[in-house]
Amino acid sequence: MAKSYDLLIIGAGPGGYTAAIRAAKEGLKTGVIEKEKLGGTCLNRGCISTKALLHASSMFSMMQKCDEFGVSADSIAFDFKKMQQYKKNAVRDYRNEIHGTFEKLGIDLIYGTATIRRGKTVEVKSDKGKDFYQAKHIIIATGAVPRPLSIPGADLDGVWYSDRILKEDKWKFDRLTIIGGGVIGVEMATIFNALCAKVYLVERAPHLLGPMDQEVSEALKEELTRRGIRVYCGANIHKITKEEGLICHISKDGEEILLRSGCVLVAVGRQPYTDGLFGEDVNFQMKDGKLEVDSEFMTSEPEVYAVGDVTADIQLAHVAAAQATYVVEKIAKKVHTIRLSVVPNGMYAKLPVVPNCIYTEPEIATVGLTEEAALACGMKVRCGKYSMGENGRSIISREEGGFIRLIFEAYSNNLVGAQIVCPRATDMISEMATAVAAGLNAGQLMMAMRAHPTYSEGIAGAIEDAMRS
Ligand code: NAI
């Protein structure tokens, strides 16, 4: 007889493992099916792995400038194999933490490939054969895979996606061409530039980072260029050929340009992954390549939910985790603790409260609306900007290029959006996300002191600037 669960989760990434941990804490008998490794893309070949490499490469880059701070180090060098080993250790340690939590909470981790059958039965194929499981509720959290680039030469050896590049422990990156100036593209450009590679970054759209506030994306382009990265925005790639390395044939403003490098990274987006997931006896609706869900994350099959990249417009680990928590709270009949957007008192516009963090140098973090988006929904706004060049902590660290930009609704002075470009921006954005979610106004944001010297002092500067306008 099939083993049965209150909740079966397919996929053990941040959506899947967050759902499992919360469900087990609510007393639900929970199983998680995973075909590869616990942790999914985020842990094994995404956020955690990339940030570990960013940490190591930025350390190397800082050491090269250490003389300015009165520190000397002779013959600074890096060992890429060791760097990759450090990254593997960080990934392993994180995975062990999650594994330990699963064991403590009695969550079953089932390795194999899942196919959903009629009546909430799940078939799992592995080297040991075929097993069947039964569940009252199912959550699909199967994530996404890199979107392929459909041009001649895209299948040549050395044209890689981010997961392949993250696995490579031999240094093959004296010259690297990156196709796609989105989040993966700019973070990878930062890593390899810090390791002294010659990096070319090719973006089809007129600006880096797509929907990001234009001032932010221009500031990033300027900084990447200042660091020696060749950025080609508004450029089209036509083909890749191989002759003494890989040659990307691109065109920009009517000019044909050839970029030669040892390796090409393709980072042109990610697409939902549902291969083999649906049996012939079930009927799941898809829309624009994504698994369709209602406002409660339920698919077209009753009591089968989907969270994270397989369904989301916003492909972020913390969004997957938040959606997973929401669904488990619904199944366990608990009050919801999670919101992805809010409409604070006295406001009419929906404010997204999802922080968006990009780990470049300097870091970029945003939440809520940009000025442009606020104006587009008919909102009157006051905007304030603070240049980090005046900030004590930035002067100390010699990283003075960033800024903080805050957007307030003009009548209530409620914070509706923030864009931060400076070191530690990814940590600082939490204060802004809390303020947007809680509908705090400028006066309330000024009530608490910000310690001196911190990058956060710049927030007060941006509030004062907005209130003067
Ligand atoms: P993305 O959607 O962020 O960026 C892809 C970029 O490629 C776009 O700017 C697009 O205009 C460009 N592009 C598409 N086709 C092109 C072509 N033929 N030539 C040149 N440019 C082309 O996707 P990306 O960077 O692959 O990241 C995938 C997902 O992973 C994103 O949704 C992102 O949110 C998530 N992610 C988040 C991170 C974070 O939060 N720090 C880090 C890494 C990934």
Side-chain angles (χ1 to χ4, degrees):
M1 215 174 84
K3 189 168 180 182
S4 63
Y5 290 90
D6 293 321
L7 176 63
L8 259 182
I9 298 157
I10 305 173
Y17 70 70
T18 305
I21 291 168
R22 180 64 197 271
K25 286 183 179 167
E26 295 296 347
L28 301 177
K29 187 167 164 43
T30 305
V32 181
I33 305 161
E34 170 57 54
K35 74 180 175 58
E36 289 174 29
K37 286 180 181 164
L38 179 59
T41 300
C42 169
L43 174 54
N44 298 298
R45 49 191 180 277
C47 325
I48 302 297
S49 337
T50 324
K51 270 79 237 179
L53 275 189
L54 266 164
H55 184 73
S57 61
S58 127
M59 196 176 277
F60 173 69
S61 165
M62 269 178 64
M63 299 266 303
Q64 288 174 310
K65 296 177 223 143
C66 65
D67 190 51
E68 188 184 355
F69 301 93
V71 177
S72 41
D74 291 334
S75 60
I76 302 155
F78 69 87
D79 179 333
F80 195 58
K81 193 171 180 172
K82 269 194 187 164
M83 251 180 206
Q84 289 283 31
Q85 189 54 50
Y86 143 74
K87 179 210 75 186
K88 275 188 205 158
N89 294 347
V91 167
R92 180 204 56 206
D93 292 350
Y94 199 154
R95 193 185 305 120
N96 287 346
E97 282 297 317
I98 305 168
H99 214 276
T101 309
F102 269 34
E103 280 185 354
K104 205 165 66 196
L105 294 171
I107 298 164
D108 285 348
L109 183 55
I110 303 155
Y111 284 105
T113 305
T115 302
I116 303 174
R117 302 264 177 220
R118 195 175 42 186
K120 292 192 286 296
T121 299
V122 181
E123 176 189 321
V124 179
K125 285 197 204 93
S126 68
D127 340 333
K128 291 182 208 137
K130 206 190 273 182
D131 283 307
F132 289 89
Y133 300 88
Q134 191 71 45
K136 289 186 191 141
H137 314 272
I138 294 174
I139 297 179
I140 299 170
T142 47
V145 289
R147 180 173 299 141
L149 182 66
S150 308
I151 54 162
D155 52 356
L156 284 169
D157 190 26
V159 180
W160 288 346
Y161 294 89
S162 56
D163 42 2
R164 175 65 185 82
I165 231 170
L166 284 166
K167 261 197 246 166
E168 183 58 56
D169 61 7
K170 287 196 193 75
W171 180 255
K172 298 179 174 171
F173 309 106
D174 283 343
R175 279 171 185 267
L176 172 67
T177 305
I178 301 176
I179 311 298
V183 194
I184 294 182
V186 299
E187 289 187 354
M188 287 291 191
T190 302
I191 293 174
F192 287 97
N193 169 261
L195 296 176
C196 302
K198 178 79 205 160
V199 179
Y200 306 105
L201 183 57
V202 181
E203 167 57 49
R204 189 171 56 185
H207 302 284
L208 296 174
L209 294 176
M212 185 64 73
D213 176 86
Q214 209 161 304
E215 192 179 354
V216 173
S217 92
E218 280 307 311
L220 176 66
K221 184 178 170 196
E222 217 171 273
E223 182 56 26
L224 295 181
T225 307
R226 194 187 67 77
R227 288 169 185 252
I229 297 170
R230 296 285 290 272
V231 182
Y232 300 89
C233 284
N236 282 307
I237 175 145
H238 305 291
K239 62 178 176 182
I240 306 172
T241 53
K242 195 162 198 166
E243 37 187 295
E244 288 175 42
L246 293 162
I247 300 180
C248 290
H249 299 247
I250 69 165
S251 61
K252 181 177 156 57
D253 305 328
E255 193 192 341
E256 301 293 320
I257 303 167
L258 304 183
L259 304 175
R260 187 189 298 274
S261 53
C263 190
V264 175
L265 166 66
V266 177
V268 295
R270 295 175 61 84
Q271 60 193 28
Y273 181 76
T274 55
D275 282 7
L277 186 61
F278 309 128
E280 284 162 3
D281 45 358
V282 288
N283 182 22
F284 284 88
Q285 302 287 317
M286 303 287 288
K287 194 176 174 197
D288 303 328
K290 286 176 279 191
L291 189 51
E292 201 173 12
V293 289
D294 65 15
S295 58
E296 299 286 287
F297 303 102
M298 201 189 287
T299 64
S300 47
E301 289 278 331
E303 289 313 310
V304 182
Y305 299 84
V307 299
D309 292 5
V310 70
T311 180
D313 289 324
I314 317 171
Q315 296 177 334
L316 294 172
H318 46 281
V319 170
Q323 293 174 342
T325 303
Y326 185 96
V327 171
V328 175
E329 286 169 346
K330 178 173 188 273
I331 293 170
K333 298 189 171 50
K334 296 284 167 182
V335 175
H336 287 303
T337 56
I338 293 281
R339 279 190 277 174
L340 296 169
S341 61
V342 293
V343 183
N345 279 346
M347 301 267 291
Y348 51 92
K350 215 174 182 188
L351 306 179
V353 293
V354 176
N356 198 350
C357 296
I358 303 166
Y359 296 78
T360 42
E361 282 182 15
E363 291 184 343
I364 296 173
T366 66
V367 70
L369 302 176
T370 59
E371 180 181 6
E372 207 182 8
L375 294 175
C377 60
M379 195 183 277
K380 276 202 166 12
V381 293
R382 290 167 196 263
C383 300
K385 185 175 166 184
Y386 179 84
S387 287
M388 294 306 277
E390 302 159 32
N391 173 266
R393 187 67 194 270
S394 302
I395 292 170
I396 293 166
S397 63
R398 290 283 181 249
E399 293 174 289
E400 295 140 85
F403 62 87
I404 297 174
R405 189 172 159 75
L406 301 181
I407 323 294
F408 294 89
E409 196 269 338
Y411 298 112
S412 60
N413 286 339
N414 279 355
L415 184 75
V416 295
Q419 293 98 43
I420 307 181
V421 181
C422 73
R424 313 261 173 99
T426 59
D427 292 313
M428 287 161 67
I429 201 66
S430 299
E431 180 187 349
M432 302 292 95
T434 305
V436 174
L440 297 187
N441 63 31
Q444 289 164 322
L445 271 166
M446 285 302 272
M447 272 177 198
M449 276 177 264
R450 292 181 181 81
H452 179 70
T454 57
Y455 297 113
S456 293
E457 283 177 286
I459 293 170
I463 299 170
E464 281 164 9
D465 186 48
M467 292 308 114
R468 272 196 296 270
S469 67

